[in-house]
Short mmCIF file of all heavy atoms in Angstrom, two decimals:
data_model
loop_
_atom_site.label_atom_id
_atom_site.label_comp_id
_atom_site.label_asym_id
_atom_site.label_seq_id
_atom_site.Cartn_x
_atom_site.Cartn_y
_atom_site.Cartn_z
N LEU A 269 10.00 -4.69 -12.74
CA LEU A 269 9.83 -3.24 -12.64
C LEU A 269 11.06 -2.52 -13.13
O LEU A 269 12.19 -2.98 -12.97
CB LEU A 269 9.58 -2.83 -11.19
CG LEU A 269 8.24 -3.16 -10.56
CD1 LEU A 269 8.21 -2.66 -9.13
CD2 LEU A 269 7.09 -2.57 -11.35
N LEU A 270 10.83 -1.35 -13.69
CA LEU A 270 11.86 -0.37 -13.93
C LEU A 270 11.84 0.63 -12.78
O LEU A 270 10.89 0.65 -11.99
CB LEU A 270 11.61 0.33 -15.27
CG LEU A 270 11.72 -0.54 -16.52
CD1 LEU A 270 11.19 0.20 -17.74
CD2 LEU A 270 13.15 -0.98 -16.75
N PRO A 271 12.86 1.47 -12.63
CA PRO A 271 12.87 2.43 -11.52
C PRO A 271 11.61 3.28 -11.47
O PRO A 271 11.07 3.69 -12.50
CB PRO A 271 14.12 3.28 -11.83
CG PRO A 271 15.04 2.33 -12.54
CD PRO A 271 14.13 1.48 -13.38
N GLY A 272 11.15 3.53 -10.24
CA GLY A 272 9.96 4.34 -10.05
C GLY A 272 8.68 3.60 -10.33
O GLY A 272 7.65 4.22 -10.59
N TYR A 273 8.70 2.26 -10.28
CA TYR A 273 7.51 1.43 -10.42
C TYR A 273 6.88 1.50 -11.82
O TYR A 273 5.69 1.26 -11.98
CB TYR A 273 6.48 1.76 -9.32
CG TYR A 273 7.08 1.56 -7.95
CD1 TYR A 273 7.71 2.60 -7.28
CD2 TYR A 273 7.09 0.31 -7.35
CE1 TYR A 273 8.32 2.41 -6.05
CE2 TYR A 273 7.69 0.11 -6.11
CZ TYR A 273 8.29 1.16 -5.47
OH TYR A 273 8.90 0.96 -4.26
N ILE A 274 7.70 1.79 -12.80
CA ILE A 274 7.28 1.67 -14.19
C ILE A 274 7.37 0.20 -14.56
O ILE A 274 8.39 -0.44 -14.29
CB ILE A 274 8.18 2.51 -15.11
CG1 ILE A 274 8.09 3.99 -14.74
CG2 ILE A 274 7.83 2.30 -16.57
CD1 ILE A 274 9.11 4.87 -15.45
N PRO A 275 6.35 -0.38 -15.15
CA PRO A 275 6.42 -1.81 -15.46
C PRO A 275 7.47 -2.13 -16.51
O PRO A 275 7.72 -1.35 -17.43
CB PRO A 275 5.01 -2.14 -15.97
CG PRO A 275 4.43 -0.82 -16.37
CD PRO A 275 5.05 0.21 -15.49
N MET A 276 8.11 -3.27 -16.36
CA MET A 276 9.07 -3.75 -17.35
C MET A 276 8.32 -4.21 -18.59
O MET A 276 7.29 -4.87 -18.48
CB MET A 276 9.86 -4.91 -16.76
CG MET A 276 10.93 -5.47 -17.67
SD MET A 276 12.38 -4.41 -17.79
CE MET A 276 13.22 -4.82 -16.26
N PHE A 288 3.72 0.88 -25.92
CA PHE A 288 3.98 0.59 -24.52
C PHE A 288 3.35 1.65 -23.62
O PHE A 288 2.67 1.34 -22.64
CB PHE A 288 5.48 0.51 -24.25
CG PHE A 288 5.82 0.31 -22.80
CD1 PHE A 288 5.78 -0.96 -22.24
CD2 PHE A 288 6.15 1.38 -21.98
CE1 PHE A 288 6.08 -1.15 -20.89
CE2 PHE A 288 6.45 1.20 -20.64
CZ PHE A 288 6.41 -0.08 -20.10
N TRP A 299 0.07 9.22 -13.27
CA TRP A 299 0.56 8.16 -14.16
C TRP A 299 0.31 8.53 -15.62
O TRP A 299 0.85 7.89 -16.52
CB TRP A 299 -0.11 6.82 -13.83
CG TRP A 299 0.59 6.07 -12.76
CD1 TRP A 299 0.11 5.72 -11.54
CD2 TRP A 299 1.94 5.57 -12.79
NE1 TRP A 299 1.05 5.04 -10.80
CE2 TRP A 299 2.19 4.93 -11.56
CE3 TRP A 299 2.96 5.60 -13.74
CZ2 TRP A 299 3.40 4.34 -11.26
CZ3 TRP A 299 4.18 5.01 -13.43
CH2 TRP A 299 4.39 4.38 -12.21
N MET A 302 3.57 9.06 -17.68
CA MET A 302 4.58 8.01 -17.72
C MET A 302 5.56 8.21 -18.88
O MET A 302 6.73 7.83 -18.78
CB MET A 302 3.94 6.62 -17.82
CG MET A 302 4.95 5.48 -17.70
SD MET A 302 4.26 3.86 -18.05
CE MET A 302 3.32 3.57 -16.56
N TYR A 305 8.43 10.18 -17.62
CA TYR A 305 9.28 9.43 -16.69
C TYR A 305 10.14 8.43 -17.46
O TYR A 305 11.34 8.29 -17.17
CB TYR A 305 8.43 8.70 -15.66
CG TYR A 305 7.32 9.49 -15.02
CD1 TYR A 305 6.12 8.87 -14.65
CD2 TYR A 305 7.45 10.86 -14.77
CE1 TYR A 305 5.10 9.58 -14.06
CE2 TYR A 305 6.42 11.59 -14.19
CZ TYR A 305 5.24 10.95 -13.84
OH TYR A 305 4.22 11.66 -13.26
N LEU A 306 9.53 7.71 -18.42
CA LEU A 306 10.25 6.66 -19.12
C LEU A 306 11.29 7.23 -20.07
O LEU A 306 12.42 6.74 -20.13
CB LEU A 306 9.27 5.76 -19.88
CG LEU A 306 9.88 4.60 -20.67
CD1 LEU A 306 10.74 3.72 -19.78
CD2 LEU A 306 8.79 3.77 -21.35
N TRP A 533 12.08 8.75 -11.47
CA TRP A 533 11.26 9.96 -11.39
C TRP A 533 10.78 10.29 -9.98
O TRP A 533 10.67 11.46 -9.60
CB TRP A 533 10.09 9.87 -12.35
CG TRP A 533 9.02 8.87 -11.99
CD1 TRP A 533 9.03 7.54 -12.22
CD2 TRP A 533 7.78 9.17 -11.34
NE1 TRP A 533 7.87 6.95 -11.75
CE2 TRP A 533 7.08 7.93 -11.21
CE3 TRP A 533 7.18 10.32 -10.87
CZ2 TRP A 533 5.82 7.83 -10.63
CZ3 TRP A 533 5.92 10.23 -10.28
CH2 TRP A 533 5.26 8.99 -10.16
#
Side-chain angles (χ1 to χ4, degrees):
L269 288 180
L270 294 169
Y273 302 91
I274 298 171
M276 182 75 79
F288 176 82
W299 274 117
M302 187 188 285
Y305 315 146
L306 180 56
W533 70 278

